[in-house]
Amino acid sequence: MQNRIKEFREKKGLSQGKLADLCNVSRQTINAIENNKYDPSLQLAFKLAKTLGVTVDNLFLNGEEN
Amino acid sequence: MQNRIKEFREKKGLSQGKLADLCNVSRQTINAIENNKYDPSLQLAFKLAKTLGVTVDNLFLNGEEN
DNA sequence: TGATGGTGTAAAATATGTTTTACATCATTT
DNA sequence: AAATGATGTAAAACATATTTTACACCATCA
């Protein structure tokens, strides 16, 4: 599943580490998700969306992998 | 995290088993999620939303557990 | 009564997400 | 040249999600 975390994060002038702090996860988690190592949990997805000021549906590109 | 899966599922006249089939997961998974045993993965959340014809943001009630 | 469909639940196994520690690279600053 | 901040990555440990198998209860229908 694709995501636009890096895009919105940079638009807010946040580093991976700062976003991680705001979401109470490690920097590696943010990095891994941005680089598509794995998808976040639903909880973290909502936390990320809230922190970045977008909806979950807008933050994640739901391709036809379903 | 709260969800409205049961509500939308019944509105569509689907059983837990049928919804499970449509989402390619087991019936127990649907049952566990409806009864808040755990949250679905992000992928499954999108699949459920798509199948039920709603957005992820509308399907899940993001309380202040963040 | 016996069969069927829908739901709730439980344990064990497997898959996936997250943390911690640690190191590497690159750019910028002192 | 050394220090700093941002990013990429890796392995081990731990946490959470999902499957499989199985059984139980209840309602309805043959």
Side-chain angles (χ1 to χ4, degrees):
Chain A
M1 160 132 43
Q2 298 274 98
N3 71 73
R4 303 169 66 188
I5 293 174
K6 177 172 186 163
E7 174 188 344
F8 289 121
R9 172 176 64 77
E10 292 180 339
K11 209 174 276 181
K12 284 224 156 196
L14 296 172
S15 67
Q16 290 182 347
K18 195 86 172 102
L19 178 57
D21 286 346
L22 292 171
C23 293
N24 303 308
V25 292
S26 70
R27 179 181 65 83
Q28 284 80 345
T29 295
I30 301 295
N31 186 74
I33 294 167
E34 282 193 358
N35 290 296
N36 279 293
K37 300 283 179 52
Y38 49 75
D39 289 328
S41 67
L42 187 57
Q43 275 228 165
L44 180 50
F46 269 98
K47 216 177 245 180
L48 285 164
K50 188 177 199 170
T51 303
L52 294 175
V54 296
T55 63
V56 170
D57 290 278
N58 281 328
L59 190 51
F60 296 89
L61 284 304
N62 192 30
E64 292 312 316
E65 68 248 51
N66 293 335
Chain B
M1 160 134 39
Q2 299 274 99
N3 72 72
R4 303 169 67 188
I5 293 173
K6 178 172 185 162
E7 174 188 344
F8 289 120
R9 172 176 63 79
E10 291 181 339
K11 210 174 277 179
K12 284 222 155 195
L14 297 172
S15 68
Q16 292 182 345
K18 195 84 173 105
L19 177 57
D21 285 347
L22 293 171
C23 293
N24 304 306
V25 292
S26 70
R27 178 180 67 80
Q28 285 80 345
T29 295
I30 301 295
N31 186 73
I33 295 167
E34 283 194 356
N35 291 295
N36 279 292
K37 299 283 179 54
Y38 49 75
D39 290 327
S41 66
L42 187 58
Q43 275 229 167
L44 180 49
F46 269 97
K47 215 177 246 179
L48 286 164
K50 189 177 199 170
T51 304
L52 295 175
V54 296
T55 63
V56 170
D57 290 278
N58 281 329
L59 190 50
F60 297 89
L61 283 303
N62 193 29
E64 292 313 316
E65 67 249 49
N66 292 334

